[in-house]
Amino acid sequence: MQLIDGKATAEAIKAEIAEEVKSIMAAGGKQPHLAAVLVGHDGGSETYVKNKVIACEKCGFKSTLIRYEDDVTEDELLACVERLNNDNDVDGFIVQLPLPRHIDEQKIIEAIDYRKDVDGFHPINVGRMSIGLPCFISATPLGIVTLLKRYNIETAGKKCVVLGRSNIVGKPMAQLMMQKQYGDATVTVCHSHTADIKKECREADIIIAAIGKPDFVTADMVKEGAVVIDVGTTRVPDATRKSGFRLNGDVKFDEVAPKCSFITPVPGGVGPMTICSLMKNTLQAAKGW
Ligand code: GUN
């Protein structure tokens, strides 16, 4: 069994990005600039955005954090998106999700200029990705295909099971694994209405778990020699931690790991790769398609 070190891979990629930024700026080019919009004080979102700002520093990017309280109106947020769309210094920006219930998330996403949508959530980017055109690809799925590639994990012709069908992870993940230039795999997407998830998983060469159910994937669901990618990051209470919680993956790691050829840990697997893919997308936005 080989542990896939997402943290080390992400650090290496950020160092590569920083080198590229240095040479862009040495040639008189513009410093890439990522802006992030954060609404409210959700602990998870605060941490993610803080880590994105730190990653920008590592990559040599400029970053701007724009904060609003929970009671921000939809119109105020739309006006902020419009300002960022028109700000020539900002190459790309994200609006951290989830947003408060009184705000229509989809409306906000669709207001973002797709050429600055480094999260890859805009329907234009989703559509372009699905037919293999230049676009911004959602950061978590992009991070996962990057990890598979860096670890030389064969995907072509393999049976890949994606657990979960979210717009942010499950759907784009399935698309990438199916596409020629990324996965070239035979893909099955499982969700809450799948008749026999255990059976589908047992037949898989590659399992990508993104359902947000702690310890859902157990040893009896995994074929000997399978590759297991764990996207889960549920915060579960843990009195032994200073923070009072720990991040729990979708995979019961201790019992599944011995059966795998490769597996990602939580934390330190997919999470750091998500942020580094956002940096890659931002560099791409700065360079132009
Ligand atoms: N919330 C959880 N993941 C993400 C992400 O990748 N981007 C944004 N904007 N919000 C998120």
Side-chain angles (χ1 to χ4, degrees):
M1 183 276 290
Q2 194 179 343
L3 198 62
I4 297 178
D5 190 340
K7 194 158 181 268
T9 309
E11 289 304 323
I13 293 174
K14 282 184 283 187
E16 290 165 19
I17 294 173
E19 279 304 311
E20 194 171 339
V21 169
K22 253 192 218 161
S23 56
I24 289 172
M25 291 177 65
K30 176 187 163 300
Q31 184 182 25
H33 182 183
L34 173 71
V37 181
L38 175 60
V39 178
H41 299 273
D42 171 75
S45 293
E46 292 262 6
T47 306
Y48 288 136
V49 170
K50 190 182 86 195
N51 288 337
K52 288 168 187 177
V53 169
I54 293 170
C56 281
E57 282 166 24
K58 285 232 167 92
C59 292
F61 296 175
K62 180 173 170 184
S63 69
T64 302
L65 173 58
I66 300 162
R67 300 196 68 131
Y68 288 97
E69 290 302 322
D70 270 318
D71 61 357
V72 64
T73 66
E74 192 172 274
D75 282 345
E76 281 173 307
L77 216 45
L78 286 168
C80 171
V81 166
E82 200 48 36
R83 274 196 303 279
L84 291 168
N85 283 341
N86 294 320
D87 184 337
N88 287 333
D89 193 59
V90 172
D91 298 297
F93 66 98
I94 64 153
V95 179
Q96 188 65 28
L97 305 178
L99 293 171
R101 289 238 300 265
H102 65 278
I103 292 170
D104 181 344
E105 259 176 25
Q106 196 56 30
K107 200 167 168 184
I108 302 296
I109 289 170
E110 290 187 38
I112 298 172
D113 183 332
Y114 73 95
R115 291 161 300 188
K116 292 192 176 189
D117 167 41
V118 283
D119 260 332
F121 293 169
H122 193 286
I124 292 180
N125 280 314
V126 175
R128 290 178 68 94
M129 188 265 291
S130 76
I131 52 173
L133 293 175
C135 63
F136 293 117
I137 297 173
S138 183
T140 299
L142 180 58
I144 292 169
V145 291
T146 306
L147 266 186
L148 293 172
K149 204 170 175 148
R150 293 231 168 189
Y151 275 80
N152 290 316
I153 294 170
E154 183 63 79
T155 56
K158 301 292 182 192
K159 284 190 176 177
C160 174
V161 163
V162 177
L163 300 178
R165 56 177 162 182
S166 70
N167 291 339
I168 293 182
V169 184
K171 283 189 198 125
M173 193 69 243
Q175 283 281 356
L176 291 183
M177 290 307 286
M178 172 168 47
Q179 276 183 31
K180 197 166 191 60
Q181 68 268 48
Y182 292 101
D184 237 352
T186 302
V187 181
T188 303
V189 180
C190 297
H191 48 80
S192 52
H193 283 69
T194 299
D196 192 344
I197 289 192
K198 281 186 187 268
K199 175 175 166 289
E200 301 292 347
C201 286
R202 272 196 297 268
E203 290 172 2
D205 301 305
I206 303 167
I207 297 174
I208 301 173
I211 40 172
K213 287 190 181 163
D215 296 340
F216 180 85
V217 178
T218 46
D220 59 317
M221 296 166 74
V222 177
K223 184 167 85 172
E224 202 65 48
V227 176
V228 175
I229 306 293
D230 190 349
V231 189
T233 51
T234 309
R235 291 175 149 221
V236 299
D238 185 340
T240 68
R241 305 288 173 103
K242 211 166 73 186
S243 60
F245 70 86
R246 69 187 151 83
L247 289 184
N248 204 120
D250 287 352
V251 177
K252 208 162 185 181
F253 184 89
D254 290 347
E255 62 172 57
V256 169
K259 295 185 85 174
C260 297
S261 55
F262 292 90
I263 187 167
T264 60
V266 174
V270 172
M273 289 303 294
T274 296
I275 295 185
C276 116
S277 298
L278 178 68
M279 300 299 118
K280 263 261 186 242
N281 282 347
T282 304
L283 179 61
Q284 193 59 48
K287 292 198 294 189
W289 285 1

